[in-house]
Amino acid sequence: MSEEKSPRLYKNQQTADISEAQIAVHWQEEDYFAPPTRFIAQANLTDASIFERFSLDKFPDYYKEFGDLLDWYKYWEKTLDTSNAPFWRWFVGGELNACHNCVDRHLSKHRNNTAIHFVPEPEHETVQHITYQELFVRVNEFAALLRDSCGLKAGDRVTLHMPMVAELPITMLACARLGVIHSQVFSGFSGKACGDRVSDSESRVLITMDAYYRAGKLLDHKEKADIAVTEAAKDGHKVDKVLIWQRYPGKYSSPAKLVEGRDIIVNDLLKQHRGERVDPAHMPAEAALFLMYTSGTTGRPKGCQHSIGGYLAYVTWTSKYIQDIHPEDVYWCMADIGWITGHSYIVYGPLALGASSVVYEGVPTYPDAGRPWRIAEELGVNIFHTSPTAIRALRRDGPDEPTKYSHHFKHMTTVGEPIEPEVWKWYYNVVGKTEAVIVDTWWQTENGGFLCSTVPAIHQMKPGSAGPAIPGIHPVIYDDEGKELPAGSGRAGNICIRNPWPGIFQTIWKDPDRFVKQYYERYCKNPKSKDWRDWPYLAGDGAVQAADGYYRILGRIDDVINVAGHRLGTKEIESAALLVPEVVEAAVVPVADPIKGKVPDLYVSLKLGLQAAQEITDKISAAVVFEIGAIARPHQIIIVPDMPKTRSGKIMRRVLAAISNHLDPGDVSTLANPEVVDKIRDLVK
Ligand code: WTA
């Protein structure tokens, strides 16, 4: 179906996303699935009147219920302060500590519960079961090391570039204990990408690990720290100390040399801090807990700053009522802690509730697609959380694998991308054995926690739809003119949230103007207003709302590509390509992929007189991997004689996206160089 014929197609200006919208829009309306009665009988939230208690006229007082899930040293005076809109301040006057809430407060009742099950990728290595008691000891010792051996104090920033190991949550919680702001960079990102984030956050200390397992190989990771320090130095930023955890305590597993005076082996130094205890810092609710860098519309990733009180309250509440986590549950979120999902729903949410959280080191399909189900069976996992990309891969590689294992999930989550109804049904029938409720949760790095999802014991499930908003969240879909699109209109628009919520990020680190501009300016009713009603939050996704109130998310309206559920900026990839001297123009478009959802195709044109050559393609690919990481490696690099351009010289990404996705590019006669379209199409074939 062409764009024009589809009444529900979302038409945006930056049409790089058109294929995403098309794919989602063409899904049929699906039948409902009812939550299993066994699930409802034990669920934390079954009272549908919650939506009345959380209606907009009771905002913001209903968020008291969120804050009350935490322990406070000092109770807050004001739930929400809007005096510096849109820089919302939650639980003002309150004091708490995130580490105390995730560790210390569980010691009286759950001291011997497992807090973290660490599952190494090599299957012959022993799973570590770290109790809350042991977590308490290890976090305290490491906090003492950070404070006394590194001189870190509340408000300092520290960059972590750590793989999926138990030491990562230990490191985060030790920072939180001191009030130190952590900034964890996804371990798959390159040393250069890490260095950019080190200098932007002005971290004097970088914490890493020597090596980790990925797809059966022990990867050297320490070398990335050396690159990060060198790259940060180019920005004029000096790193004083690199702390290196050992993947195998007592043994250094990297060929990279240690730099004298800078590099410290954590496992050695920890011996000096054995048995030490550090009192949790009494932190203002409004202090920052962490930064999480994410891709946006411009080249440089932005550091989303999340608060201690609001963020922790939000992830704790949503973990309890949307994930349905009870302290006796064994919960496994297969995301990486290097992304927001891992921060909120591997570390902070589940641990704040005293549950057991699984940390798995490796890839889900290693050594085979039965691995996740073996882990689930062995550990008694009863809540499972992953992304459509992982589900698609597990389904492709082992469609019957789940039937071979005796795992039983009561609850399953999908997050990060739209999930195709067919894939949803495999998840439900085969992985979940029709026993589990499924929530499709829509949210973003900026949001702290879920925005849209069914409430698992209250709502029916509808494959492919994220569901209505969760209690307390009041979305609205605006068209480009700012008109509200009602439920059931069949039209797509820009999804916004009318009200602030405690999990919303506080600002972009060192860039408050961009914060206002990117998220609030578009539909702001009055820039001088201190009334939250005038400041709808622009999520940056296209969406349609069905007559039943369920939202279907169609994908980004800006220059962001969701590759396998990981956010990458097209501009970041293009900037990397432009570092290759032969390249004069670069354009990245998303291509639909059966497993990863989206992958980036990179179109480049070369300096006059240069011919396409494999050598140049290799250089471009290497540049992208160096600048960002292997995750951004283009699916195809297409060297074109010229970019399709408007008469004013703008690259028509829409045309390139159509070619890459084998769709009709539509009318190209108004281009400055329409003849190039066929030439490019031949190259892509
Ligand atoms: C997309 C991940 C459809 C969306 C938590 C959003 C989704 C971006 C869903 C944020 C979902 C996330 N259905 N699309 N359930 N969840 N997205 O910041 O485009 O890594 O804007 O946060 O992922 O990605 P981020």
Side-chain angles (χ1 to χ4, degrees), residues 623-636:
V624 173
V625 173
F626 179 81
E627 290 291 315
I628 306 168
I631 152 179
R633 194 196 310 269
H635 167 64
Q636 294 187 81

Side-chain angles (χ1 to χ4, degrees), residues 513-589:
D513 293 344
R514 190 169 160 200
F515 171 77
V516 178
K517 207 167 144 44
Q518 190 166 335
Y519 300 96
Y520 293 100
E521 197 171 66
R522 177 119 185 228
Y523 294 113
C524 178
K525 291 168 196 141
N526 169 11
K528 295 224 171 66
S529 173
K530 310 221 171 300
D531 185 340
W532 57 267
R533 291 171 194 81
D534 293 325
W535 293 93
Y537 166 82
L538 174 73
D541 278 318
V544 278
Q545 190 183 23
D548 59 10
Y550 283 41
Y551 293 92
R552 191 189 288 172
I553 306 300
L554 305 178
R556 304 289 310 183
I557 57 168
D558 56 16
D559 297 340
V560 171
I561 305 193
N562 212 331
V563 178
H566 301 150
R567 250 167 92 169
L568 296 173
T570 52
K571 293 264 168 25
E572 286 169 68
I573 303 176
E574 290 166 7
S575 317
L578 286 164
L579 293 172
V580 175
E582 288 87 346
V583 175
V584 284
E585 286 173 315
V588 166
V589 297

Side-chain angles (χ1 to χ4, degrees), residues 350-636:
L351 297 184
L353 294 171
S356 306
S357 187
V358 176
V359 172
Y360 172 55
E361 179 178 32
V363 288
T365 50
Y366 185 85
D368 57 71
R371 186 73 193 276
W373 325 127
R374 283 198 290 285
I375 293 172
E377 181 185 79
E378 180 185 333
L379 298 178
V381 172
N382 65 341
I383 306 181
F384 185 68
H385 184 156
T386 191
S387 65
T389 290
I391 303 169
R392 289 184 210 110
L394 290 163
R395 177 173 177 243
R396 176 195 59 191
D397 296 352
D400 304 320
E401 283 298 315
T403 61
K404 300 180 188 160
Y405 299 94
S406 66
H407 65 277
H408 293 282
F409 297 143
K410 68 166 184 177
H411 183 294
M412 304 193 299
T413 298
T414 165
V415 64
E417 312 151 67
I419 182 166
E420 298 79 356
E422 223 183 280
V423 177
W424 190 100
K425 285 174 197 163
W426 181 78
Y427 196 37
Y428 179 78
N429 288 317
V430 184
V431 176
K433 307 174 180 181
T434 70
E435 300 163 335
V437 76
I438 295 184
V439 292
D440 180 343
T441 58
W442 168 72
W443 60 296
Q444 314 168 293
T445 304
E446 293 87 338
N447 308 153
F450 307 142
L451 294 181
C452 287
S453 165
T454 48
V455 175
I458 295 179
H459 293 119
Q460 310 244 54
M461 306 170 250
K462 190 164 74 172
S465 281
I470 71 161
I473 295 293
H474 299 275
V476 54
I477 298 180
Y478 289 119
D479 70 9
D480 283 341
E481 280 70 55
K483 224 176 95 238
E484 290 186 18
L485 298 176
S489 73
R491 287 178 57 208
N494 302 319
I495 187 165
C496 296
I497 311 296
R498 293 181 199 273
N499 59 295
W501 65 96
I504 183 70
F505 69 141
Q506 299 176 292
T507 187
I508 296 175
W509 182 253
K510 296 199 298 198
D511 205 348
D513 293 344
R514 190 169 160 200
F515 171 77
V516 178
K517 207 167 144 44
Q518 190 166 335
Y519 300 96
Y520 293 100
E521 197 171 66
R522 177 119 185 228
Y523 294 113
C524 178
K525 291 168 196 141
N526 169 11
K528 295 224 171 66
S529 173
K530 310 221 171 300
D531 185 340
W532 57 267
R533 291 171 194 81
D534 293 325
W535 293 93
Y537 166 82
L538 174 73
D541 278 318
V544 278
Q545 190 183 23
D548 59 10
Y550 283 41
Y551 293 92
R552 191 189 288 172
I553 306 300
L554 305 178
R556 304 289 310 183
I557 57 168
D558 56 16
D559 297 340
V560 171
I561 305 193
N562 212 331
V563 178
H566 301 150
R567 250 167 92 169
L568 296 173
T570 52
K571 293 264 168 25
E572 286 169 68
I573 303 176
E574 290 166 7
S575 317
L578 286 164
L579 293 172
V580 175
E582 288 87 346
V583 175
V584 284
E585 286 173 315
V588 166
V589 297
V591 186
D593 179 275
I595 301 298
K596 294 179 169 176
K598 289 281 169 307
V599 290
D601 262 6
L602 169 59
Y603 288 83
V604 293
S605 64
L606 304 179
K607 275 188 187 144
L608 212 60
L610 289 181
Q611 294 297 317
Q614 186 61 41
E615 192 199 340
I616 300 179
T617 311
D618 293 346
K619 266 213 263 193
I620 296 169
S621 178
V624 173
V625 173
F626 179 81
E627 290 291 315
I628 306 168
I631 152 179
R633 194 196 310 269
H635 167 64
Q636 294 187 81

